[in-house]
Amino acid sequence: MPELALLGGSRTRSTPFPPWPQYDDGELAALRQVLESRQWWRTPGTQTLTFERSFAAAHGAKYGIAVTNGTHAIEVVMHALGVGYGDEIIVPDSTFIATASAVLSVGALPVLVDVDPKTYNIDPKQVEAAITPRTKAIIAVHMGGMPADMDALLDIANRHHLPLIEDSSHAHGSEWKGSRIGALGFAGTFSFQASKTMTAGEGGIILTNDAEFERIARSVTDCGRMPGHSGYEHFIYASNYRLSEWQGALLNVQLTRMDAQTKLRHHNASLLDEILGGIKGLTPQLLDERCTRNGHYLYMFHYDPVAFGGLPTARFIEAVHAEGIPTQASYPPLSALEVFRGGNYKKRIPPGMPDDALRHAPFPNSERIMREVVCLPHATLMGGASDLEEIGTAMLKIQEFVSELM
């Protein structure tokens, strides 16, 4: 009889990991409060305003601007910075499409650069090499929750007089040298989409310490209005990116759990690093010693097929999932997506403007991540030590009986 669950054997884990999203009577009471207040729109309401201030304070920022989603958060930043035709924004090749599509939304060019092979974050050396007179900003993504090298990136940004934007959609509560990410650069953006470590189904927020930028960014989200003027005075081209009171109410309660949940994931990930690090062929994402807390939207590790008899990564992931351990797909490199590979993105760039987003290709590290990095969702880190041991047991079982899969 086969040992591996994929072929009919018994599963290593038969019970589910903690469910996500998590909620209790707090969310129910908050939603009822909004319902009964009849103030469902953020402008006269208080829930979203309270959340903006609380989330900003929790991350060491002066200002928070809640918006409809994480993609729009980056788009608003681009608008508020005045990014437009002929401008270039440096972004990592290994990220979700929104990091680059937000740049294209204002007619600017996302210039892709490779990532560090151990942290999976944007490579500062590649960033500096990509700067041109047209560069308007740098976007760093804290992949999986692990902060990018903020020391090196801030040094580069300051020397070249460029704003550093933190795409922090994976990194709620993450810390760099004891300080929360999201307010270390010029501005930070977060997502509250359903899978994120804080969620209202959808939603996002922009953090900054710059008062003038906050004024313009808030106007961008609110149809071009400006503080101190009537609701029918509009001063800049803008749109409506406002977050509703319903989502603000949910996020106020979600925020009360952020510290404890982040601490638990960071602790459990450190234990899982030891377990998987002891299995030949599995190398956890590097935890930089300057990262004092990793929010761990994803737990990521490199899989070496050679140590598993040449078993392809896709087949390994299939076997892991069959053993009762959930996985989450790695992001394909932006350079591998049809929108970039086929040149469709160039339709967003005006004629006569530089339009080579892939000028720094090849991207060997982001391509390797797509082929050989395995991601576990953050719910796998929300339990106890026995859950982590079962993850390790499943990996060892696959390695021991890998011949069954060949």
Side-chain angles (χ1 to χ4, degrees):
M1 180 176 178
E3 295 289 339
L4 295 175
L6 185 59
L7 302 178
S10 299
R11 302 174 72 183
T12 300
R13 183 180 178 87
S14 57
T15 57
F17 284 90
W20 192 261
Q22 294 186 358
Y23 70 91
D24 60 22
D25 289 344
E27 278 88 352
L28 295 173
L31 290 172
R32 187 174 185 85
Q33 182 180 349
V34 172
L35 180 71
E36 294 177 347
S37 74
R38 299 184 187 275
Q39 300 292 351
W40 300 352
W41 181 34
R42 76 138 299 158
T43 300
T46 61
Q47 294 287 343
T48 299
L49 177 62
T50 298
F51 173 68
E52 289 175 334
R53 293 172 174 173
S54 299
F55 190 85
H59 287 80
K62 291 181 180 178
Y63 309 107
I65 307 163
V67 295
T68 39
N69 56 60
T71 302
H72 285 165
I74 308 175
E75 290 183 10
V76 170
V77 170
M78 294 296 101
H79 281 285
L81 284 175
V83 176
Y85 299 151
D87 292 331
E88 297 179 353
I89 308 294
I90 298 172
V91 303
D93 187 43
S94 184
T95 184
F96 182 60
I97 184 64
T99 312
S101 65
V103 176
L104 291 168
S105 75
V106 294
L109 180 69
V111 176
L112 311 184
V113 300
D114 208 356
V115 296
D116 183 277
K118 295 182 179 179
T119 66
Y120 316 147
N121 284 321
I122 195 167
D123 183 342
K125 293 180 180 178
Q126 299 287 330
V127 169
E128 187 142 36
I131 293 173
T132 74
R134 293 181 296 275
T135 304
K136 193 70 177 281
I138 302 163
I139 301 181
V141 177
H142 303 306
M143 182 57 68
M146 171 64 210
D149 187 343
M150 294 302 293
D151 289 0
L153 292 169
L154 284 168
D155 176 64
I156 293 167
N158 290 335
R159 283 192 286 107
H160 291 273
H161 307 289
L162 296 170
L164 176 62
I165 311 305
E166 300 176 70
D167 181 342
S168 310
S169 293
H170 289 186
H172 309 68
S174 288
E175 295 178 357
W176 182 257
K177 296 165 66 173
S179 296
R180 293 277 169 86
I181 57 82
L184 300 179
F186 182 79
T189 64
F190 293 79
S191 168
F192 304 116
Q193 178 266 345
S195 68
K196 300 302 189 293
T197 57
M198 278 185 57
T199 181
E202 286 285 8
I205 198 169
I206 301 157
L207 301 185
T208 187
N209 289 311
D210 188 282
E212 179 59 16
F213 173 80
E214 188 270 344
R215 186 177 76 90
I216 299 300
R218 192 170 293 282
S219 182
V220 171
T221 69
D222 195 24
C223 307
R225 297 181 174 97
M226 289 290 184
H229 295 271
S230 77
Y232 291 105
E233 292 183 86
H234 308 275
F235 295 85
I236 62 173
Y237 171 77
S239 189
N240 177 2
Y241 297 97
R242 296 185 303 261
L243 191 73
S244 77
E245 283 289 277
W246 301 103
Q247 292 160 302
L250 284 174
L251 291 167
N252 276 321
V253 184
Q254 292 271 303
L255 182 59
T256 65
R257 303 191 190 97
M258 183 186 73
D259 279 342
Q261 291 177 339
T262 303
K263 182 178 180 180
L264 175 63
R265 287 192 300 271
H266 181 88
H267 173 75
N268 281 345
S270 297
L271 297 179
L272 190 55
D273 283 351
E274 294 181 13
I275 294 171
L276 297 193
I279 300 175
K280 186 178 180 180
L282 304 184
T283 306
Q285 178 188 26
L286 177 67
L287 179 66
D288 191 305
E289 62 183 9
R290 294 167 293 180
C291 172
T292 45
R293 184 168 293 180
N294 186 337
H296 271 298
Y297 167 63
L298 297 173
Y299 181 89
M300 308 176 75
F301 63 92
H302 177 258
Y303 165 74
D304 182 2
V306 174
F308 285 74
L311 185 71
T313 307
R315 187 65 166 163
F316 171 76
I317 291 173
E318 190 180 5
V320 169
H321 192 77
E323 294 297 333
I325 312 300
T327 61
Q328 189 163 325
S330 297
Y331 295 128
L334 298 181
S335 57
L337 300 177
E338 179 59 27
V339 63
F340 284 101
R341 187 164 49 86
N344 192 269
Y345 73 94
K346 295 183 180 182
K347 294 179 180 179
R348 298 292 306 170
I349 310 298
M353 299 293 181
D355 63 0
D356 187 3
L358 309 183
R359 68 175 68 133
H360 296 287
F363 308 100
N365 295 329
S366 62
E367 291 166 1
R368 176 172 172 262
I369 290 169
M370 177 181 68
R371 293 193 309 269
E372 299 177 352
V373 166
V374 179
C375 302
L376 307 183
H378 62 84
T380 58
L381 302 175
M382 296 293 288
S386 61
D387 298 304
L388 310 176
E389 291 167 1
E390 285 189 320
I391 293 172
T393 298
M395 307 297 176
L396 284 170
K397 179 182 177 184
I398 294 167
Q399 190 169 61
E400 181 180 358
F401 297 101
V402 70
S403 61
E404 294 182 6
L405 298 172
M406 305 301 286

